[in-house]
Amino acid sequence: MPSAISDTLERPPDLSDKLPKLVPRKRPPPRPRESDSTPATPALPPPPSIDSIDFVEPSRRILSPQDHEVFLKSSTYTLLTSFIFTLADSVRDKTISSINTSTLDPTVSSILTILDSAQDLLQQYPPEDNGGSRFGNPTFRSYVEALSSQLPTWHQRLSLPSSLPPAALTELCTYLSHSLGSTSRIDYGSGHELNFLLWLLCLYRLSFLPASTFPALVLIVFPRYLRLARALQTTYYLEPAGSHGVWGLDDYQFLPFLFGAAQLVHHPHLRPSSIHSALTLEEYGPEYLYLDQVVFVNSVKNVEGLRWHSPMLDDISSARSWAKVEAGMRRMFEKEVLGKVPVMQHFLFGGLIPAVEGMSREEDGVEGAVEAGEEEGQVVVMKDGMRHVHNPNSWGDCCGIKVPGSVGAAGETRRTQGAGLRRIPFD
């Protein structure tokens, strides 16, 4: 009897057959996050026939969030993204010096002469003495008025056909004049920069700029426009439109970073972190739009280091590759430029860049007027053509706060040799 008990204790029963078999769980493949997806380049539609275009003077049509939602789902939105992203694709792995300026398309050469004339006109309108103010100089209005009167004549350099309706010239002039800044607010932002690309898009849709000219548009024409825009910013102290201060990518520009990142995607040794090297910026800035814009940003800030005056650029410099940077810039263009109502409320629609059915018209509202009635107990107002709920208990930021640009601070520092200038935050 004792031996039977001991045998049982020494040899426990085999229960392995009664236990369920362990089967590895098949996990579904991880889904890419929305933020990880790179916006693709939609196919750029060919230029339409002139007879199919109903030319009209461009006007604002995004006057409410509902209008903006309609735009984001429209064919015009696709047309715009396809044009911008196709331009970026055309300069991938190309340097500015790789464009042979001696064989430029005649239309591209004519565009450059128009921008040269706009720059020369600056000499006739020196800024008035603003008493050391860093805010926009009102002489800018006189400059834009004089430029607008010259634009029809300057556009004849493009060899416009006589069969082109006069309204088509009006569309072209409107987009170019609005690409230099706002005369009412004396400011400049990414929306004005976008208007310059809309001008080029109009010329493409009129069959003046074939796809073969796209690399030259980005690497020759666009840098020439940037030099003009910077001259206006530093001469008239244009305020940054919709700036987020140090928490934004740049006070004024966006597209140099998108196009510049495309240039650098496969560079053998330059990395996003290379923007912290002064020697690298000096050597490669003239070849790459991204680096050139960083050089300009550094030149107008009154503190040293991207970490302090441009923390977003500093954060982006930690990316593993330029491909990551370019993908991020594409997403940012869609979400922070085209996807923001404060930027797109100034977008102009005409015959070449048409609005779609269901969008408001400017004549439907009275700009600057307070609408009768209230919305959920708060006053509804129209400010710069945009209907919004006014908050009387705020600092006025719901209607926009005038913010002096860093170029104004830098300009006054140079003018006074740094004497008697009080530093302000967010420079």
Side-chain angles (χ1 to χ4, degrees):
M1 190 71 178
S3 61
I5 295 176
S6 60
D7 290 342
T8 303
L9 294 176
E10 292 175 1
R11 290 179 296 175
D14 185 7
L15 302 177
S16 60
D17 293 337
K18 298 181 179 181
L19 295 175
K21 292 184 178 181
L22 296 178
V23 180
R25 181 180 299 175
K26 293 183 179 180
R27 296 182 179 180
R31 295 182 180 178
R33 294 180 301 173
E34 182 182 354
S35 61
D36 291 338
S37 59
T38 302
T41 302
L44 182 62
S49 65
I50 300 298
D51 296 335
S52 66
I53 302 174
D54 182 18
F55 293 101
V56 294
E57 183 175 357
S59 61
R60 291 181 297 179
R61 301 291 298 274
I62 299 178
L63 305 179
S64 70
Q66 292 72 30
D67 294 331
H68 187 236
E69 288 297 325
V70 173
F71 164 74
L72 293 178
K73 300 174 183 176
S74 69
S75 58
T76 300
Y77 174 87
T78 304
L79 170 66
L80 184 55
T81 54
S82 65
F83 183 66
I84 298 297
F85 293 164
T86 300
L87 288 177
D89 291 340
S90 73
V91 297
R92 197 175 305 281
D93 306 325
K94 288 185 174 67
T95 61
I96 291 177
S97 62
S98 68
I99 305 299
N100 188 351
T101 55
S102 63
T103 59
L104 291 177
D105 183 272
T107 302
V108 173
S109 299
S110 299
I111 290 173
L112 293 174
T113 66
I114 292 175
L115 296 176
D116 288 340
S117 297
Q119 183 98 29
D120 294 339
L121 190 63
L122 266 175
Q123 308 302 320
Q124 302 179 29
Y125 293 89
E128 66 181 47
D129 187 357
N130 244 5
S133 171
R134 303 179 184 187
F135 290 101
N137 196 290
T139 307
F140 174 68
R141 297 189 176 104
S142 302
Y143 167 80
V144 174
E145 181 181 0
L147 177 136
S148 299
S149 67
Q150 295 289 330
L151 285 181
T153 302
W154 291 351
H155 273 81
Q156 297 307 319
R157 303 175 190 176
L158 300 173
S159 301
L160 301 177
S162 57
S163 60
L164 199 65
L169 179 60
T170 300
E171 285 201 36
L172 292 172
C173 294
T174 300
Y175 282 114
L176 185 54
S177 65
H178 280 74
S179 72
L180 303 178
S182 168
T183 54
S184 62
R185 299 177 302 277
I186 315 184
D187 64 7
Y188 178 98
S190 56
H192 302 104
E193 176 188 64
L194 183 60
N195 274 321
F196 182 74
L197 272 296
L198 296 181
W199 181 58
L200 297 180
L201 176 57
C202 288
L203 291 175
Y204 164 77
R205 287 174 64 77
L206 289 172
S207 300
F208 286 106
L209 293 172
S212 60
T213 64
F214 286 4
L217 293 182
V218 178
L219 300 180
I220 302 297
V221 171
F222 187 62
R224 183 64 191 88
Y225 164 75
L226 285 178
R227 290 197 296 274
L228 172 61
R230 291 168 184 171
L232 294 173
Q233 294 158 15
T234 54
T235 300
Y236 299 118
Y237 296 173
L238 301 186
E239 298 160 24
S243 173
H244 295 288
V246 298
W247 304 116
L249 183 66
D250 183 88
D251 277 346
Y252 298 110
Q253 316 294 158
F254 177 83
L255 290 175
F257 299 105
L258 172 58
F259 295 149
Q263 284 182 275
L264 290 159
V265 163
H266 298 116
H267 199 280
H269 60 84
L270 288 180
R271 298 290 180 265
S273 59
S274 300
I275 65 173
H276 296 285
S277 169
L279 291 176
T280 299
L281 294 176
E282 181 180 358
E283 181 176 359
Y284 293 98
E287 294 286 0
Y288 297 99
L289 293 173
Y290 194 107
L291 304 183
D292 177 67
Q293 188 63 27
V294 173
V295 171
F296 179 73
V297 170
N298 284 333
S299 70
V300 298
K301 300 296 183 177
N302 60 14
V303 293
E304 292 288 339
L306 292 171
R307 176 183 178 186
W308 303 108
H309 61 67
S310 302
M312 181 175 286
L313 282 175
D314 182 64
D315 288 344
I316 293 172
S317 70
S318 64
R320 294 192 301 272
S321 66
W322 286 110
K324 284 288 233 182
V325 175
E326 188 206 12
M329 291 299 167
R330 288 189 175 216
R331 291 193 296 269
M332 192 179 296
F333 177 71
E334 289 189 337
K335 294 183 179 180
E336 300 299 327
V337 178
L338 302 184
K340 294 296 185 182
V341 176
V343 176
M344 297 308 295
Q345 65 177 327
H346 304 294
F347 190 94
L348 300 175
F349 295 87
L352 290 163
I353 304 174
V356 295
E357 192 67 29
M359 298 177 69
S360 304
R361 298 180 180 274
E362 279 193 282
E363 54 266 27
D364 295 339
V366 181
E367 185 171 352
V370 178
E371 294 185 354
E374 297 184 348
E375 183 174 293
E376 296 182 357
Q378 293 182 307
V379 178
V380 179
V381 302
M382 293 290 290
K383 177 68 176 180
D384 290 330
M386 189 65 198
R387 183 175 183 268
H388 71 281
V389 178
H390 182 65
N391 182 3
N393 297 320
S394 73
W395 292 337
D397 53 333
C398 70
C399 297
I401 296 177
K402 288 167 69 67
V403 179
S406 55
V407 295
E412 285 302 304
T413 300
R414 287 191 296 269
R415 191 176 69 85
T416 62
Q417 288 79 45
L421 182 65
R422 179 175 62 86
R423 290 165 63 95
I424 63 173
F426 313 118
D427 278 357

